[in-house]
Amino acid sequence: MRLLGVLVAFCLLSGCVRPRVEHVPAQATRPRAISSQDTWITPTEADPRGTDSLADLTRGPLAPLEDGTFVLLAPDGSPVFAALTREQSLRSQTPHTLAAERCTIAPAGVGVLRLCAGATEGDARAWWVDRSQVVALPQPVSSRAISDVTGDGVAFDGRCNPSEPDDGSTFCWLRRDQLQWREWTAPNRATLLALRGESALLSEPGDLRAVLAHFDVTASRRRVVEHTDPTLEIDAATFAPTGDVIVLSHRTARDGGTESFACVASMATPCTARPLHIRAVDIAFADARHGLAVGANAGELSITTDGGTSWTPIVPSGHPAPSSVALPPPPVGRSTRRLRIRAASTVVRCNTNACVAGRVVHRWPDE
């Protein structure tokens, strides 16, 4: 027994008993970006490096439609309906001559909402345009008007009568099947981010951070879009092609950098944010499975093919320095109300065939 005690004491002194070490989990690192042969940077006169495939998509206003069509503006301002070919070119058609300056286009079902600057600041003229017809929206129209991507309606912040003061919670709405402006009121002060059918996505100012809310206009029912991680701060949001909500958020990392996350939220449960592995400024989905997130330059791209469950950083092909190619910044909100959460899918825009962001074109391969 005495001998056993001596052996134990010797073992402790000599280190044969390992000291207990507390396990510290390793911090997640950014995965190495994968070179993508389906992603190109289009050339310009100032920077001729890149790939010419689908370069026309990166010039001027662009509206990707859910049927896979892209609508561009011709040099005279007329909408051009273009389809992708297997040869990675565009087959285009200009069904109407609608020349005008200072116009924008936004997806609206099988066509676009064409919004042109009016005679005075804040006023506009607007039309629904598809291949077969041009339908004028009744006056007055605000230059802040937002189109429903399904083509069912248009809405904007404020009263329908521009001479009436804005109370911060009233919105003007026009349904395509009625062609008559009417007002609806949200429970709180808010800014309109997106419209889909009878649903509106709203940014509400909060004490510490903005609140993202889904509002059913007809039922007058409000639901907060929540994260499972309350430490995240929402940057931008919009409706997904499925009708769910795409949320782009971030938090500050321990090293002082920014970590970006994305989630797809249904109205029933809070959404679980997934790391994008890039510093993202915008995000868009092509369909239920495919999406693209973009940063400030072409070296900050990340894609998902599983509905946002996981994201993979990618690097475009055909250009030696993608990080030197700047992408457009998110546009300044058109609303006169204080905007805390931006509308997403403004820098990068997608349909079932491709996503476009500045000089970057990412084409989804045929499956």
Side-chain angles (χ1 to χ4, degrees):
M1 193 73 181
R2 186 175 180 180
L3 178 61
L4 178 61
V6 172
L7 290 173
V8 170
F10 175 79
C11 190
L12 290 171
L13 292 172
S14 62
C16 63
V17 177
R18 292 183 179 180
R20 183 175 180 180
V21 178
E22 183 179 353
H23 175 68
V24 178
Q27 292 186 5
T29 57
R30 170 175 171 167
R32 186 171 182 177
I34 298 173
S35 178
S36 171
Q37 299 302 312
D38 297 310
T39 312
W40 311 290
I41 296 175
T42 61
T44 64
E45 292 183 2
D47 180 12
R49 299 172 298 178
T51 305
D52 284 317
S53 295
L54 307 177
D56 287 341
L57 291 182
T58 66
R59 300 181 187 129
L62 176 74
L65 307 187
E66 291 182 342
D67 64 359
T69 301
F70 288 94
V71 182
L72 308 87
L73 289 183
D76 69 349
S78 299
V80 178
F81 289 76
L84 299 182
T85 69
R86 292 184 178 180
E87 295 76 27
Q88 299 178 8
S89 62
L90 292 176
R91 182 177 64 253
S92 60
Q93 175 192 13
T94 308
H96 314 287
T97 301
L98 300 171
E101 298 180 354
R102 296 192 300 159
C103 295
T104 62
I105 49 177
V110 296
V112 295
L113 172 70
R114 183 173 182 258
L115 198 66
C116 300
T120 59
E121 185 177 357
D123 294 334
R125 294 166 296 144
W127 299 263
W128 275 303
V129 183
D130 59 30
R131 286 184 174 87
S132 61
Q133 61 180 344
V134 178
V135 178
L137 273 63
Q139 293 290 330
V141 180
S142 170
S143 61
R144 306 185 302 271
I146 294 176
S147 173
D148 180 346
V149 295
T150 65
D152 288 340
V154 174
F156 57 85
D157 301 344
R159 310 298 295 264
C160 293
N161 184 347
S163 64
E164 296 182 6
D166 181 11
D167 61 5
S169 59
T170 300
F171 300 83
C172 189
W173 187 32
L174 180 138
R175 293 294 304 268
R176 189 163 187 170
D177 56 354
Q178 298 173 355
L179 283 182
Q180 183 176 358
W181 295 102
R182 68 182 182 91
E183 294 180 352
W184 53 269
T185 303
N188 304 318
R189 297 180 65 88
T191 303
L192 179 64
L193 300 179
L195 184 70
R196 188 177 184 90
E198 297 181 350
S199 297
L201 198 59
L202 304 176
S203 169
E204 301 176 350
D207 294 333
L208 298 177
R209 59 182 60 185
V211 175
L212 182 64
H214 178 282
F215 185 65
D216 186 318
V217 177
T218 302
S220 191
R221 183 173 62 246
R222 170 187 174 272
R223 295 177 180 174
V224 175
V225 180
E226 297 180 344
H227 271 119
T228 55
D229 185 346
T231 67
L232 296 177
E233 184 172 347
I234 299 176
D235 296 315
T238 192
F239 285 111
T242 58
D244 292 332
V245 177
I246 310 169
V247 183
L248 177 65
S249 56
H250 81 277
R251 69 171 166 230
T252 303
R254 293 180 180 177
D255 60 1
T258 300
E259 298 175 325
S260 295
F261 299 82
C263 68
V264 181
S266 67
M267 290 303 100
T269 57
C271 65
T272 301
R274 309 293 184 181
L276 293 171
H277 310 297
I278 64 169
R279 190 171 181 174
V281 299
D282 200 20
I283 188 171
F285 269 69
D287 53 32
R289 293 186 299 132
H290 300 88
L292 176 67
V294 303
N297 60 70
E300 297 285 336
L301 308 174
S302 190
I303 64 170
T304 182
T305 58
D306 56 14
T309 301
S310 62
W311 292 83
T312 303
I314 58 172
V315 176
S317 62
H319 195 286
S323 60
S324 68
V325 178
L327 300 184
V332 178
R334 294 189 229 179
S335 176
T336 56
R337 299 174 183 175
R338 187 174 182 183
L339 186 65
R340 296 285 188 90
I341 300 173
R342 294 182 281 107
S345 303
T346 56
V347 175
V348 55
R349 299 185 176 188
C350 299
N351 64 18
T352 54
N353 284 330
C355 294
V356 180
R359 292 173 58 193
V360 172
V361 177
H362 175 81
R363 182 171 183 178
W364 302 108
D366 298 331
E367 297 180 354

